[in-house]
Amino acid sequence: MSIFRRSLLREFTSLALAVCVVLLAISLTTLLVRLLSNAASGALQLEGVLAFLGFIAINYLPIILSLTLFIAVLMTLSRWYNDSEMIVWFSSGVGLVRWIKPVLYFTLPVALVVAALSLGLSPWALRQSAEYKRQLDSRDDVSLLAPGVFRESKHADRVFFIDNMSDTESVVSNVFVQSVQNQQLGVMVAKQGMQKIEKNGDKFVVLENGRRYDGTPGTQNYKVMDFATYAVRIEPYEAKIEAPSPKSMTTPALLKQPTLQNIAELHWRVALPISIVLLTLLAIPLSFVNPRGGRSVNLVSGLLIYMIYSSLLSTFQAWTAQGKIAPEIGLWPVHGMALALLIALFYKRSSVNGFSRLWSSR
Protein backbone atom coordinates (compact mmCIF):
# COMPACT_ATOMS: atom_id res chain seq x y z
CA MET A 1 0.00 0.00 0.00
CA SER A 2 2.90 2.35 0.72
CA ILE A 3 4.14 1.76 -2.84
CA PHE A 4 0.71 2.74 -4.18
CA ARG A 5 0.62 5.94 -2.09
CA ARG A 6 4.20 7.01 -2.83
CA SER A 7 3.73 6.45 -6.56
CA LEU A 8 0.52 8.45 -6.59
CA LEU A 9 1.86 11.34 -4.52
CA ARG A 10 5.04 11.52 -6.59
CA GLU A 11 3.07 11.82 -9.83
CA PHE A 12 0.65 14.32 -8.28
CA THR A 13 3.55 16.52 -7.18
CA SER A 14 5.50 16.44 -10.43
CA LEU A 15 2.43 17.20 -12.54
CA ALA A 16 1.25 19.92 -10.15
CA LEU A 17 4.61 21.67 -10.33
CA ALA A 18 4.52 21.61 -14.13
CA VAL A 19 0.93 22.89 -14.27
CA CYS A 20 1.64 25.60 -11.67
CA VAL A 21 4.67 26.85 -13.60
CA VAL A 22 2.64 27.04 -16.81
CA LEU A 23 -0.31 28.83 -15.18
CA LEU A 24 1.99 31.27 -13.39
CA ALA A 25 3.91 31.98 -16.59
CA ILE A 26 0.68 32.68 -18.50
CA SER A 27 -0.77 34.84 -15.71
CA LEU A 28 2.42 36.82 -15.07
CA THR A 29 3.03 37.39 -18.77
CA THR A 30 -0.52 38.68 -19.24
CA LEU A 31 -0.22 40.93 -16.20
CA LEU A 32 3.19 42.21 -17.27
CA VAL A 33 1.93 43.13 -20.74
CA ARG A 34 -1.03 44.99 -19.23
CA LEU A 35 1.14 46.85 -16.71
CA LEU A 36 3.73 47.79 -19.33
CA SER A 37 0.92 49.07 -21.55
CA ASN A 38 -0.32 51.25 -18.67
CA ALA A 39 3.23 52.48 -18.07
CA ALA A 40 3.68 53.34 -21.74
CA SER A 41 0.44 55.33 -21.76
CA GLY A 42 1.46 57.21 -18.62
CA ALA A 43 -1.24 55.70 -16.38
CA LEU A 44 1.41 53.91 -14.31
CA GLN A 45 4.97 54.78 -13.41
CA LEU A 46 7.53 52.40 -14.88
CA GLU A 47 9.28 51.83 -11.55
CA GLY A 48 6.03 50.50 -10.09
CA VAL A 49 5.54 47.73 -12.65
CA LEU A 50 7.44 44.98 -10.81
CA ALA A 51 5.95 45.90 -7.44
CA PHE A 52 2.39 45.82 -8.76
CA LEU A 53 3.17 42.58 -10.60
CA GLY A 54 4.17 40.96 -7.32
CA PHE A 55 1.15 42.26 -5.40
CA ILE A 56 -1.31 41.11 -8.08
CA ALA A 57 0.40 37.72 -8.37
CA ILE A 58 -0.04 37.13 -4.62
CA ASN A 59 -3.72 37.98 -4.96
CA TYR A 60 -4.15 35.55 -7.88
CA LEU A 61 -2.14 32.74 -6.27
CA PRO A 62 -5.07 31.03 -4.42
CA ILE A 63 -7.02 30.64 -7.68
CA ILE A 64 -3.92 29.39 -9.51
CA LEU A 65 -3.20 26.81 -6.79
CA SER A 66 -6.83 25.67 -6.80
CA LEU A 67 -6.82 25.08 -10.55
CA THR A 68 -3.36 23.47 -10.35
CA LEU A 69 -4.40 20.81 -7.84
CA PHE A 70 -7.63 20.03 -9.65
CA ILE A 71 -5.86 19.56 -13.00
CA ALA A 72 -3.02 17.56 -11.42
CA VAL A 73 -5.34 15.04 -9.74
CA LEU A 74 -7.67 14.81 -12.72
CA MET A 75 -4.95 14.28 -15.30
CA THR A 76 -2.95 11.84 -13.16
CA LEU A 77 -5.88 9.55 -12.45
CA SER A 78 -7.09 9.87 -16.04
CA ARG A 79 -3.72 8.62 -17.23
CA TRP A 80 -3.91 5.70 -14.82
CA TYR A 81 -7.33 4.80 -16.20
CA ASN A 82 -6.16 5.21 -19.79
CA ASP A 83 -3.09 3.02 -19.20
CA SER A 84 -5.19 0.40 -17.34
CA GLU A 85 -3.22 0.96 -14.12
CA MET A 86 -6.46 1.58 -12.24
CA ILE A 87 -7.70 -1.85 -13.26
CA VAL A 88 -4.56 -3.36 -11.75
CA TRP A 89 -5.10 -1.56 -8.47
CA PHE A 90 -8.80 -2.49 -8.42
CA SER A 91 -7.84 -6.10 -9.01
CA SER A 92 -5.40 -5.82 -6.11
CA GLY A 93 -8.21 -4.82 -3.77
CA VAL A 94 -7.72 -1.04 -3.80
CA GLY A 95 -11.25 0.36 -3.99
CA LEU A 96 -12.14 3.81 -5.33
CA VAL A 97 -12.72 5.20 -1.83
CA ARG A 98 -9.15 4.27 -0.92
CA TRP A 99 -7.99 7.02 -3.30
CA ILE A 100 -9.49 9.69 -1.03
CA LYS A 101 -6.78 9.41 1.62
CA PRO A 102 -3.73 9.93 -0.65
CA VAL A 103 -5.55 12.74 -2.48
CA LEU A 104 -6.20 14.44 0.87
CA TYR A 105 -2.55 13.95 1.86
CA PHE A 106 -1.65 15.85 -1.29
CA THR A 107 -4.41 18.48 -1.04
CA LEU A 108 -4.64 19.48 2.62
CA PRO A 109 -1.15 21.10 2.93
CA VAL A 110 -1.84 23.23 -0.14
CA ALA A 111 -5.34 24.02 1.17
CA LEU A 112 -3.73 25.34 4.38
CA VAL A 113 -1.41 27.52 2.30
CA VAL A 114 -4.40 28.84 0.34
CA ALA A 115 -6.21 29.53 3.62
CA ALA A 116 -3.23 31.56 4.82
CA LEU A 117 -3.16 33.42 1.52
CA SER A 118 -6.88 34.17 1.35
CA LEU A 119 -7.27 35.08 5.04
CA GLY A 120 -4.10 37.09 5.45
CA LEU A 121 -1.55 37.49 2.69
CA SER A 122 -3.83 38.41 -0.23
CA PRO A 123 -5.59 41.25 1.65
CA TRP A 124 -2.15 42.47 2.78
CA ALA A 125 -0.97 42.51 -0.85
CA LEU A 126 -4.03 44.54 -1.88
CA ARG A 127 -3.40 47.04 0.93
CA GLN A 128 0.26 47.37 -0.01
CA SER A 129 -0.67 47.83 -3.66
CA ALA A 130 -3.13 50.61 -2.81
CA GLU A 131 -0.60 52.32 -0.51
CA TYR A 132 2.18 52.08 -3.09
CA LYS A 133 -0.11 53.53 -5.75
CA ARG A 134 -1.02 56.39 -3.42
CA GLN A 135 2.67 57.13 -2.83
CA LEU A 136 3.35 57.18 -6.56
CA ASP A 137 0.35 59.43 -7.17
CA SER A 138 1.61 61.82 -4.48
CA ARG A 139 4.82 62.50 -6.36
CA ASP A 140 5.12 65.85 -8.11
CA ASP A 141 4.87 66.20 -11.87
CA VAL A 142 8.61 66.69 -12.42
CA SER A 143 9.57 63.42 -10.75
CA LEU A 144 7.29 61.58 -13.18
CA LEU A 145 8.95 62.90 -16.32
CA ALA A 146 10.53 60.35 -18.63
CA PRO A 147 12.40 61.00 -21.89
CA GLY A 148 10.28 60.66 -25.00
CA VAL A 149 6.93 60.53 -23.17
CA PHE A 150 4.23 63.21 -23.02
CA ARG A 151 3.13 63.49 -19.39
CA GLU A 152 0.01 65.31 -18.21
CA SER A 153 0.09 66.99 -14.82
CA LYS A 154 -2.16 65.65 -12.07
CA HIS A 155 -4.17 68.86 -12.17
CA ALA A 156 -4.70 68.30 -15.93
CA ASP A 157 -3.64 71.84 -16.73
CA ARG A 158 -0.16 71.14 -18.13
CA VAL A 159 1.51 68.71 -20.50
CA PHE A 160 5.27 68.09 -20.27
CA PHE A 161 7.69 66.52 -22.71
CA ILE A 162 11.45 66.12 -22.53
CA ASP A 163 13.70 64.71 -25.20
CA ASN A 164 16.68 63.75 -23.07
CA MET A 165 17.79 63.60 -19.44
CA SER A 166 21.26 63.85 -17.93
CA ASP A 167 22.78 60.98 -15.97
CA THR A 168 22.13 62.79 -12.70
CA GLU A 169 18.54 63.60 -13.81
CA SER A 170 19.15 67.22 -12.78
CA VAL A 171 19.17 68.71 -16.28
CA VAL A 172 16.82 67.90 -19.17
CA SER A 173 17.09 69.02 -22.78
CA ASN A 174 14.60 69.94 -25.53
CA VAL A 175 11.71 70.71 -23.19
CA PHE A 176 8.08 71.19 -24.26
CA VAL A 177 5.43 72.55 -21.87
CA GLN A 178 1.81 73.27 -22.73
CA SER A 179 -0.43 74.98 -20.19
CA VAL A 180 -3.94 76.47 -20.05
CA GLN A 181 -4.58 79.53 -17.87
CA ASN A 182 -7.70 81.72 -18.04
CA GLN A 183 -8.75 79.97 -21.26
CA GLN A 184 -5.45 81.03 -22.80
CA LEU A 185 -3.23 78.36 -24.32
CA GLY A 186 0.46 78.71 -23.59
CA VAL A 187 3.17 76.68 -25.27
CA MET A 188 6.82 76.86 -24.24
CA VAL A 189 9.83 75.22 -25.82
CA ALA A 190 13.32 75.44 -24.40
CA LYS A 191 16.73 73.98 -25.07
CA GLN A 192 17.15 72.81 -21.50
CA GLY A 193 15.61 72.95 -18.06
CA MET A 194 16.20 72.02 -14.43
CA GLN A 195 14.32 71.76 -11.16
CA LYS A 196 14.81 74.39 -8.46
CA ILE A 197 13.57 74.25 -4.87
CA GLU A 198 13.20 77.50 -2.94
CA LYS A 199 13.87 77.86 0.79
CA ASN A 200 10.14 77.82 1.55
CA GLY A 201 9.78 74.47 -0.22
CA ASP A 202 8.20 75.71 -3.45
CA LYS A 203 9.34 73.78 -6.52
CA PHE A 204 9.94 75.30 -9.93
CA VAL A 205 10.99 74.04 -13.35
CA VAL A 206 13.46 76.59 -14.68
CA LEU A 207 13.58 76.68 -18.49
CA GLU A 208 16.50 78.27 -20.30
CA ASN A 209 16.93 79.67 -23.81
CA GLY A 210 13.39 79.15 -25.04
CA ARG A 211 10.29 80.65 -26.57
CA ARG A 212 6.70 81.01 -25.34
CA TYR A 213 3.53 81.22 -27.45
CA ASP A 214 0.32 82.61 -25.87
CA GLY A 215 -3.08 82.84 -27.50
CA THR A 216 -6.63 81.58 -27.88
CA PRO A 217 -7.13 78.35 -29.83
CA GLY A 218 -8.96 78.91 -33.13
CA THR A 219 -7.81 82.51 -33.53
CA GLN A 220 -4.74 84.22 -34.94
CA ASN A 221 -4.24 86.34 -31.85
CA TYR A 222 -0.99 84.88 -30.53
CA LYS A 223 1.96 86.45 -28.73
CA VAL A 224 5.49 85.15 -29.14
CA MET A 225 8.14 85.82 -26.51
CA ASP A 226 11.75 84.71 -26.36
CA PHE A 227 13.26 84.22 -22.93
CA ALA A 228 16.62 83.39 -21.42
CA THR A 229 15.13 82.02 -18.19
CA TYR A 230 11.52 81.10 -17.37
CA ALA A 231 10.32 79.50 -14.12
CA VAL A 232 7.19 77.32 -14.00
CA ARG A 233 5.83 76.60 -10.51
CA ILE A 234 5.03 72.96 -9.74
CA GLU A 235 1.86 72.77 -7.69
CA PRO A 236 1.93 70.31 -4.78
CA TYR A 237 -0.39 67.33 -5.05
CA GLU A 238 -1.73 65.11 -2.31
CA ALA A 239 -3.35 61.86 -3.38
CA LYS A 240 -6.73 61.10 -1.88
CA ILE A 241 -6.84 58.50 0.86
CA GLU A 242 -9.71 56.19 -0.04
CA ALA A 243 -11.55 53.95 2.39
CA PRO A 244 -10.27 50.36 2.22
CA SER A 245 -12.41 47.95 0.23
CA PRO A 246 -13.61 44.69 1.85
CA LYS A 247 -11.09 42.76 -0.27
CA SER A 248 -8.17 44.64 1.28
CA MET A 249 -9.39 44.63 4.90
CA THR A 250 -7.86 42.24 7.40
CA THR A 251 -9.96 39.28 8.49
CA PRO A 252 -10.29 40.56 12.11
CA ALA A 253 -11.44 43.93 10.73
CA LEU A 254 -14.13 42.18 8.67
CA LEU A 255 -15.32 40.36 11.78
CA LYS A 256 -15.50 43.62 13.76
CA GLN A 257 -17.57 45.31 11.02
CA PRO A 258 -20.16 42.70 9.95
CA THR A 259 -21.72 44.57 7.02
CA LEU A 260 -23.19 42.61 4.13
CA GLN A 261 -20.16 43.31 1.94
CA ASN A 262 -17.75 42.30 4.68
CA ILE A 263 -19.63 39.09 5.47
CA ALA A 264 -19.68 38.19 1.77
CA GLU A 265 -15.90 38.73 1.62
CA LEU A 266 -15.44 36.49 4.69
CA HIS A 267 -17.47 33.75 3.02
CA TRP A 268 -15.29 34.05 -0.10
CA ARG A 269 -12.04 33.77 1.86
CA VAL A 270 -13.25 30.68 3.70
CA ALA A 271 -14.63 29.19 0.47
CA LEU A 272 -11.25 29.10 -1.30
CA PRO A 273 -9.57 26.37 0.80
CA ILE A 274 -12.85 24.44 1.08
CA SER A 275 -13.31 24.49 -2.69
CA ILE A 276 -9.81 23.08 -3.22
CA VAL A 277 -10.61 20.03 -1.09
CA LEU A 278 -13.97 19.42 -2.74
CA LEU A 279 -12.64 19.92 -6.26
CA THR A 280 -9.72 17.53 -5.84
CA LEU A 281 -12.06 14.90 -4.38
CA LEU A 282 -14.41 15.47 -7.33
CA ALA A 283 -11.49 14.78 -9.63
CA ILE A 284 -11.37 11.14 -8.40
CA PRO A 285 -14.67 9.99 -9.96
CA LEU A 286 -14.37 12.53 -12.81
CA SER A 287 -11.08 10.94 -13.88
CA PHE A 288 -12.79 7.74 -15.08
CA VAL A 289 -11.77 7.07 -18.68
CA ASN A 290 -12.90 4.45 -21.10
CA PRO A 291 -9.57 3.30 -22.64
CA ARG A 292 -11.29 3.09 -26.02
CA GLY A 293 -12.67 6.60 -25.83
CA GLY A 294 -9.65 8.73 -24.87
CA ARG A 295 -9.26 11.32 -22.11
CA SER A 296 -10.74 14.42 -23.70
CA VAL A 297 -14.33 13.93 -22.52
CA ASN A 298 -13.62 13.73 -18.81
CA LEU A 299 -11.09 16.59 -18.99
CA VAL A 300 -13.63 18.86 -20.67
CA SER A 301 -16.38 17.87 -18.23
CA GLY A 302 -14.01 18.37 -15.29
CA LEU A 303 -13.02 21.86 -16.39
CA LEU A 304 -16.68 22.69 -17.04
CA ILE A 305 -17.58 21.65 -13.49
CA TYR A 306 -14.68 23.73 -12.17
CA MET A 307 -15.89 26.83 -14.03
CA ILE A 308 -19.50 26.32 -12.92
CA TYR A 309 -18.40 25.87 -9.30
CA SER A 310 -16.22 29.03 -9.41
CA SER A 311 -18.97 31.03 -11.12
CA LEU A 312 -21.54 29.95 -8.53
CA LEU A 313 -19.20 30.98 -5.71
CA SER A 314 -18.82 34.44 -7.26
CA THR A 315 -22.57 34.72 -7.86
CA PHE A 316 -23.50 33.73 -4.32
CA GLN A 317 -20.90 36.12 -2.95
CA ALA A 318 -22.49 38.97 -4.93
CA TRP A 319 -25.97 37.95 -3.79
CA THR A 320 -24.80 37.86 -0.17
CA ALA A 321 -23.29 41.35 -0.50
CA GLN A 322 -26.56 42.59 -2.03
CA GLY A 323 -28.69 41.04 0.72
CA LYS A 324 -30.45 38.58 -1.61
CA ILE A 325 -29.11 35.69 0.48
CA ALA A 326 -29.06 35.62 4.27
CA PRO A 327 -25.55 36.34 5.62
CA GLU A 328 -25.49 33.15 7.68
CA ILE A 329 -26.17 31.12 4.53
CA GLY A 330 -23.70 32.82 2.23
CA LEU A 331 -21.77 30.47 -0.04
CA TRP A 332 -22.54 27.24 1.83
CA PRO A 333 -25.26 26.11 -0.62
CA VAL A 334 -22.62 26.00 -3.37
CA HIS A 335 -20.40 23.76 -1.24
CA GLY A 336 -23.45 21.63 -0.45
CA MET A 337 -24.17 21.17 -4.16
CA ALA A 338 -20.53 20.23 -4.79
CA LEU A 339 -20.64 17.69 -1.96
CA ALA A 340 -23.89 16.21 -3.27
CA LEU A 341 -22.34 15.93 -6.75
CA LEU A 342 -19.29 14.27 -5.21
CA ILE A 343 -21.41 11.61 -3.49
CA ALA A 344 -23.48 11.06 -6.64
CA LEU A 345 -20.40 10.60 -8.81
CA PHE A 346 -18.85 8.14 -6.37
CA TYR A 347 -22.12 6.20 -6.35
CA LYS A 348 -22.20 6.23 -10.16
CA ARG A 349 -18.64 4.93 -10.35
CA SER A 350 -19.60 2.21 -7.85
CA SER A 351 -22.21 0.95 -10.30
CA VAL A 352 -19.55 0.89 -13.04
CA ASN A 353 -16.72 -0.67 -11.09
CA GLY A 354 -18.80 -2.79 -8.76
CA PHE A 355 -19.68 -2.12 -5.14
CA SER A 356 -16.94 -4.36 -3.80
CA ARG A 357 -14.27 -2.45 -5.77
CA LEU A 358 -15.55 0.85 -4.45
CA TRP A 359 -15.10 -0.07 -0.79
CA SER A 360 -12.51 -2.83 -0.91
CA SER A 361 -9.71 -2.34 1.62
CA ARG A 362 -7.60 -5.46 1.26
Side-chain angles (χ1 to χ4, degrees):
M1 188 62 191
S2 59
I3 297 175
F4 155 71
R5 184 177 300 167
R6 285 199 303 269
S7 175
L8 189 61
L9 291 177
R10 183 168 57 250
E11 189 161 351
F12 280 161
T13 303
S14 60
L15 184 56
L17 288 174
V19 172
C20 187
V21 168
V22 172
L23 292 178
L24 275 175
I26 294 173
S27 301
L28 292 179
T29 301
T30 304
L31 288 172
L32 183 60
V33 170
R34 189 178 70 186
L35 292 173
L36 289 175
S37 176
N38 291 338
S41 64
L44 175 67
Q45 286 71 55
L46 186 61
E47 59 269 30
V49 169
L50 291 181
F52 283 115
L53 183 65
F55 293 140
I56 297 174
I58 292 175
N59 190 42
Y60 283 1
L61 199 53
I63 304 299
I64 293 175
L65 290 176
S66 173
L67 184 56
T68 295
L69 263 64
F70 180 68
I71 292 176
V73 174
L74 183 63
M75 292 186 66
T76 298
L77 297 185
S78 296
R79 188 196 67 77
W80 283 34
Y81 267 112
N82 196 55
D83 295 345
S84 300
E85 292 185 35
M86 294 290 280
I87 304 301
V88 175
W89 288 112
F90 288 151
S91 302
S92 301
V94 179
L96 195 61
V97 172
R98 296 287 296 277
W99 298 81
I100 294 178
K101 193 172 182 179
V103 168
L104 288 178
Y105 271 124
F106 173 67
T107 302
L108 289 179
V110 182
L112 292 176
V113 172
V114 170
L117 286 168
S118 63
L119 294 173
L121 195 55
S122 291
W124 171 85
L126 290 174
R127 291 195 304 274
Q128 293 300 311
S129 178
E131 175 61 23
Y132 188 56
K133 185 177 185 302
R134 190 188 70 81
Q135 291 178 3
L136 291 179
D137 290 343
S138 298
R139 297 169 61 183
D140 59 64
D141 297 325
V142 175
S143 63
L144 301 179
L145 293 179
V149 178
F150 285 91
R151 186 78 69 180
E152 185 178 22
S153 68
K154 295 184 175 66
H155 296 282
D157 58 349
R158 291 194 183 105
V159 176
F160 297 90
F161 176 87
I162 60 175
D163 182 53
N164 196 10
M165 182 180 292
S166 66
D167 295 336
T168 59
E169 299 185 1
S170 58
V171 179
V172 295
S173 60
N174 297 329
V175 185
F176 171 90
V177 180
Q178 176 184 291
S179 62
V180 177
Q181 295 179 347
N182 300 323
Q183 297 182 348
Q184 292 286 316
L185 177 66
V187 176
M188 289 175 287
V189 291
K191 290 185 178 181
Q192 68 177 24
M194 64 186 68
Q195 182 178 196
K196 183 179 180 181
I197 302 178
E198 299 292 343
K199 293 182 179 180
N200 61 359
D202 290 344
K203 294 182 179 181
F204 292 86
V205 173
V206 180
L207 304 179
E208 298 177 348
N209 301 322
R211 178 173 294 180
R212 177 182 176 92
Y213 303 87
D214 288 313
T216 303
T219 68
Q220 298 180 353
N221 184 20
Y222 271 85
K223 297 179 181 179
V224 181
M225 177 183 66
D226 293 323
F227 58 84
T229 302
Y230 193 101
V232 180
R233 187 173 186 271
I234 304 301
E235 299 292 338
Y237 181 82
E238 184 67 27
K240 295 180 180 179
I241 301 178
E242 299 180 354
S245 65
K247 289 184 178 295
S248 63
M249 294 175 64
T250 63
T251 300
L254 293 177
L255 292 171
K256 290 180 181 179
Q257 304 176 33
T259 63
L260 289 177
Q261 291 79 9
N262 292 352
I263 293 175
E265 177 62 23
L266 277 173
H267 277 290
W268 174 258
R269 295 183 186 181
V270 174
L272 289 174
I274 294 176
S275 65
I276 285 184
V277 176
L278 291 175
L279 284 168
T280 51
L281 291 179
L282 273 168
I284 298 174
L286 284 173
S287 61
F288 171 77
V289 173
N290 185 343
R292 298 179 180 178
R295 296 193 296 174
S296 59
V297 175
N298 71 316
L299 289 177
V300 172
S301 60
L303 291 175
L304 181 61
I305 289 176
Y306 177 89
M307 290 188 291
I308 292 174
Y309 189 14
S310 300
S311 298
L312 285 175
L313 288 176
S314 300
T315 301
F316 273 69
Q317 182 195 16
W319 286 349
T320 303
Q322 296 167 7
K324 297 180 180 180
I325 295 179
E328 58 272 14
I329 295 177
L331 278 62
W332 293 109
V334 183
H335 300 310
M337 287 185 284
L339 183 60
L341 178 62
L342 175 64
I343 295 173
L345 288 175
F346 264 98
Y347 181 79
K348 180 181 178 181
R349 292 277 73 82
S350 71
S351 64
V352 173
N353 298 321
F355 185 81
S356 61
R357 288 183 179 177
L358 179 72
W359 296 97
S360 177
S361 59
R362 289 203 312 267

